[in-house]
Amino acid sequence: MKSQNIKTGASAAKPKRIRKGEKVVLLSGGNPQITKADGDAPVEAYIAAIPGWKRDIGKRLDGLIVRNAPGVRKAVKWNSPFYGIEGQGWFVSFHVFTRYVKVTFFRGTSLRPVPPGGTSKEARWIDIHEDDFDEAQMTIWVKQAAVLPGWLS
């Protein structure tokens, strides 16, 4: 079955397969450079390429999102994993930096409590450092965000 574009529902190209053992380039801050593609495989490749303690954060985030957002779809866009619901758009993404992992909620101003970072019209984010991942709060935000209209790319 072909993957579908989350914005339009139109058929999209099959995700590019990441070859086992293929070397992933790390961009500034250790963020993996992964080809833009839909599906689990590119997100798994992204997470596998994250260096150090941030890989564990990526795994935990991915698992938490999958458990708490039924029917979630995944993609890598702009060297970041995106998570969304078909017909609603993307609701969350994360990106690796040198000292933290930034989790962005595209309709973050609608979440309660509102995540602390951000000055854009609707998006808000939280920076997760090595020992400050609040899984309970993240679960609350993911559940809230997954039912809101998302960002259509």
Side-chain angles (χ1 to χ4, degrees), residues 19-33:
R19 292 184 198 125
K20 193 169 188 161
E22 185 175 337
K23 198 78 164 155
V24 175
V25 173
L26 296 180
L27 303 171
S28 67
N31 193 56
Q33 183 178 32

Side-chain angles (χ1 to χ4, degrees), residues 57-131:
I57 297 293
K59 287 178 184 178
R60 290 173 66 192
L61 283 167
D62 182 73
L64 184 150
I65 294 165
V66 168
R67 284 189 309 276
N68 292 287
V72 72
R73 297 182 55 83
K74 301 179 189 182
V76 170
K77 296 173 174 288
W78 304 286
N79 299 308
S80 297
F82 277 63
Y83 298 83
I85 303 296
E86 185 69 40
Q88 288 180 213
W90 305 107
F91 64 89
V92 69
S93 179
F94 66 90
H95 192 87
V96 173
F97 290 89
T98 303
R99 294 185 177 90
Y100 58 92
V101 176
K102 178 176 286 208
V103 180
T104 301
F105 293 94
F106 299 113
R107 301 286 187 244
T109 57
S110 297
L111 305 180
R112 296 293 176 259
V114 175
T119 57
S120 73
K121 184 177 178 183
E122 294 183 90
R124 291 295 180 269
W125 54 82
I126 184 161
D127 297 339
I128 302 173
H129 297 86
E130 188 167 3
D131 292 317

Side-chain angles (χ1 to χ4, degrees), residues 4-41:
Q4 293 193 330
N5 181 300
I6 201 159
K7 180 177 177 182
T8 64
S11 290
K14 280 191 170 183
K16 177 186 173 199
R17 294 196 182 260
I18 309 301
R19 292 184 198 125
K20 193 169 188 161
E22 185 175 337
K23 198 78 164 155
V24 175
V25 173
L26 296 180
L27 303 171
S28 67
N31 193 56
Q33 183 178 32
I34 301 292
T35 302
K36 186 176 177 178
D38 292 320
D40 290 338

